[in-house]
């Protein structure tokens, strides 16, 4: 947030943006190659880092790339450290790439009937007469907990729309007002959305974004979530979600699943809420079994067990779901070459 405010004062934008922007740190964002809510428009963190200063395990300091836009002189060591979760070196300085902000942003929230409808609406937005900067999805369970935790107004006046299974937040850059209005009207005419609301003022836009950005905080404030951050090819999302519903509904009846994510880049955040009747210990024991089933489903649909949060300690045992033995062997050799004593973030990614 400090970077955003500093850049905005000079008329620029660092386009990496997160729901947690007020507390997350740039070094952490770089260490996990975080994506956030505008990946569909601007890409991942690694695309907006020009240079790094990194301290190695032996105390050597590397100055990597500086402010160069183009530098094709062997391996790009800067990219090696981005996404390495602090296991290869400590980032002490970063040179960030900036861009100009959009002149106008239009924010809309639509109510739709299921995941298939979310995906269908996404295809429509990709062909819409504007530049798509965000396409965020969340379920009714997420919205209910946000409204329970925060004093935010519901997005729709229509009570039926408030109880829709799924919601989509769309942000458009520099859209022509009449073209946008025509496009939105066509969505309802073709049955692609059951209801919708468009921000009329900047404060409206903030309120609509708050519905999405308050989800993680609200889940933790109103219950005990077990979190997973996965990614699928966009073409696999519909089939994955159908299989996901079958697995959890049959194996874990009564569990509340709060699903949200960036969707347009295939990233889903799966939050399983602890049922009141189960102890913490039993819940987390059962979620280990649930994780195994979830990750096997991810493997079957050619996905990743971590889209932007990294492997850390909790997903080490499942690294092989998304990485081949040959890849893991190379990762280990790189780690050993740069940190032979294993003193940097020990135990993270692999033992």
């Amino acid at each position: 947030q400090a970077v955003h405010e500093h850049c905005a004062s000079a008329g620029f934008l660092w386009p990496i943006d997160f729901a947690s922007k007020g507390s997350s740190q740039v070094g952490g964002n770089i260490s996990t190659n975080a994506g956030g809510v505008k990946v569909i428009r601007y890409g991942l963190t690694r695309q907006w880092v020009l240079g790094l200063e990194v301290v190695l395990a032996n105390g050597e300091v590397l100055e990597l790339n500086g402010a160069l836009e183009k530098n094709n002189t062997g391996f790009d060591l800067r990219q090696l450290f981005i996404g390495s979760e602090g296991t290869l070196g400590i980032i002490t300085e970063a040179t960030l790439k900036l861009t100009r902000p959009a002149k106008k942003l239009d924010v809309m929230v639509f109510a739709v009937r299921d995941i298939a409808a979310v995906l269908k609406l996404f295809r429509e937005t990709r062909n819409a007469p504007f530049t798509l900067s965000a396409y965020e999805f969340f379920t009714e369970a997420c919205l209910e907990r946000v409204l329970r935790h925060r004093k935010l107004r519901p997005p729709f006046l229509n009570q039926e729309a408030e109880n829709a299974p799924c919601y989509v937040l769309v942000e458009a850059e520099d859209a022509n007002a009449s073209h946008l209005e025509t496009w939105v009207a066509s969505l309802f005419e073709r049955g692609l959305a059951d209801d919708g609301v468009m921000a009329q003022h900047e404060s409206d836009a903030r309120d609509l974004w708050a519905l999405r950005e308050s989800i993680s905080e609200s889940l933790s404030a109103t219950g005990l979530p077990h979190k997973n951050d996965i990614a699928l090819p966009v073409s696999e999302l519909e089939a994955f979600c159908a299989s996901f519903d079958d697995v959890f509904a049959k194996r874990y009846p009564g569990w509340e699943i709060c699903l949200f994510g960036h969707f347009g880049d295939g990233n889903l955040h799966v939050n399983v809420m602890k049922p009141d009747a189960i102890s913490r210990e039993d819940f987390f024991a059962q979620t280990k079994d649930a994780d195994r089933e979830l990750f096997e489903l991810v493997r079957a649909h050619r996905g990743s067990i971590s889209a932007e949060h990294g492997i850390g300690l909790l997903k080490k045992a499942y690294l092989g779901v998304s990485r081949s033995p040959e890849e893991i062997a190379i990762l280990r050799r790189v780690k050993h070459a740069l940190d032979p004593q294993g003193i940097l973030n020990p135990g993270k990614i692999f033992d």
Side-chain angles (χ1 to χ4, degrees):
Q1 186 170 335
V3 170
H4 288 177
E5 291 170 357
H6 179 73
C7 295
S9 67
F12 288 95
L13 171 71
W14 189 52
I16 304 303
D17 197 6
F18 311 100
S20 60
K21 54 180 166 278
S23 59
S24 69
Q25 304 292 313
V26 171
N29 303 156
I30 294 171
S31 290
T32 60
N33 186 34
V37 296
K38 299 197 178 184
V39 168
I40 195 170
R41 171 70 174 92
Y42 293 105
L44 297 158
T45 295
R46 69 168 68 253
Q47 291 162 269
W48 296 91
V49 177
L50 287 175
L52 292 177
E53 178 185 85
V54 180
V55 181
L56 300 181
N58 64 4
E60 292 178 3
V61 179
L62 300 180
E63 299 280 353
L64 303 173
N65 204 60
L68 284 170
E69 183 73 44
K70 299 177 77 174
N71 180 16
N72 191 27
T73 52
F75 307 136
D76 189 344
L77 295 178
R78 164 195 51 149
Q79 293 292 350
L80 181 64
F81 290 95
I82 298 173
S84 65
E85 299 183 46
T87 61
L88 303 180
I90 299 171
I91 296 168
T92 51
E93 186 176 297
T95 303
L96 304 178
K97 181 179 178 179
L98 307 180
T99 189
R100 292 283 186 184
K103 294 182 177 65
K104 181 172 75 83
L105 294 172
D106 288 289
V107 180
M108 299 152 273
V109 170
F110 297 100
V112 297
R113 61 185 63 90
D114 52 29
I115 296 288
V118 174
L119 189 57
K120 196 169 184 179
L121 181 57
F122 172 63
R123 295 191 187 106
E124 289 293 322
T125 60
R126 292 308 299 264
N127 295 313
F130 53 75
T131 297
L132 181 63
S133 62
Y135 190 90
E136 297 289 303
F137 145 79
F138 51 98
T139 58
E140 179 189 9
C142 294
L143 179 61
E144 187 275 328
R145 287 186 178 264
V146 167
L147 296 178
R148 191 195 313 175
H149 173 59
R150 294 198 55 189
K151 292 180 180 178
L152 297 171
R153 67 174 183 265
F156 305 111
L157 297 176
N158 179 356
Q159 183 63 37
E160 188 174 325
E162 295 297 350
N163 297 321
C166 300
Y167 301 89
V168 171
L169 183 147
V170 175
E171 185 178 76
E173 283 189 10
D174 299 329
N176 176 283
S178 62
H179 293 168
L180 181 60
E181 185 176 332
T182 300
W183 178 78
V184 170
S186 77
L187 297 180
F188 300 118
E189 290 168 2
R190 291 179 289 153
L192 293 169
D194 297 326
D195 205 344
V197 60
M198 183 184 298
Q200 300 302 308
H201 308 284
E202 191 173 327
S203 61
D204 292 341
R206 284 196 299 269
D207 288 346
L208 291 178
W209 264 113
L211 297 173
R212 164 61 185 86
E213 294 188 327
S214 302
I215 293 174
S216 287
E217 169 194 329
S218 298
L219 297 184
S220 296
T222 60
L224 181 62
H226 172 68
K227 299 172 177 284
N228 263 303
D229 157 53
I230 59 175
L232 289 305
V234 174
S235 61
E236 295 281 340
L237 278 170
E238 186 174 354
F240 170 84
C241 288
S243 301
F244 171 86
D245 284 344
D246 287 342
V247 166
F248 278 81
K250 292 176 182 175
R251 182 73 184 269
Y252 307 100
W255 283 25
E256 180 183 358
I257 311 295
C258 294
L259 197 62
F260 68 94
H262 313 304
F263 209 86
D265 58 25
N267 183 188
L268 295 176
H269 295 282
V270 180
N271 294 264
V272 181
M273 307 303 296
K274 185 186 84 66
D276 293 337
I278 301 177
S279 69
R280 290 173 63 101
E281 293 74 17
D282 287 346
F283 174 62
F284 286 119
Q286 290 185 50
T287 56
K288 288 183 180 179
D289 291 333
D291 283 348
R292 266 191 292 275
E293 295 198 46
L294 174 63
F295 295 154
E296 283 305 316
L297 198 56
V298 167
R299 188 206 300 267
H301 290 276
R302 301 178 291 116
S304 169
I305 62 170
S306 179
E308 56 184 357
H309 292 172
I311 295 299
L313 295 170
L314 298 180
K315 293 186 176 180
K316 287 192 298 184
Y318 303 106
L319 185 58
V321 171
S322 298
R323 293 285 200 170
S324 69
E326 294 78 12
E327 288 177 303
I328 294 173
I330 291 171
L331 292 176
R332 287 182 178 278
R333 290 203 293 270
V334 172
K335 167 69 171 174
H336 183 73
L338 293 177
D339 182 19
Q341 302 302 316
I343 64 173
L344 293 175
N345 235 357
K348 301 295 174 62
I349 304 181
F350 35 65
D351 294 324

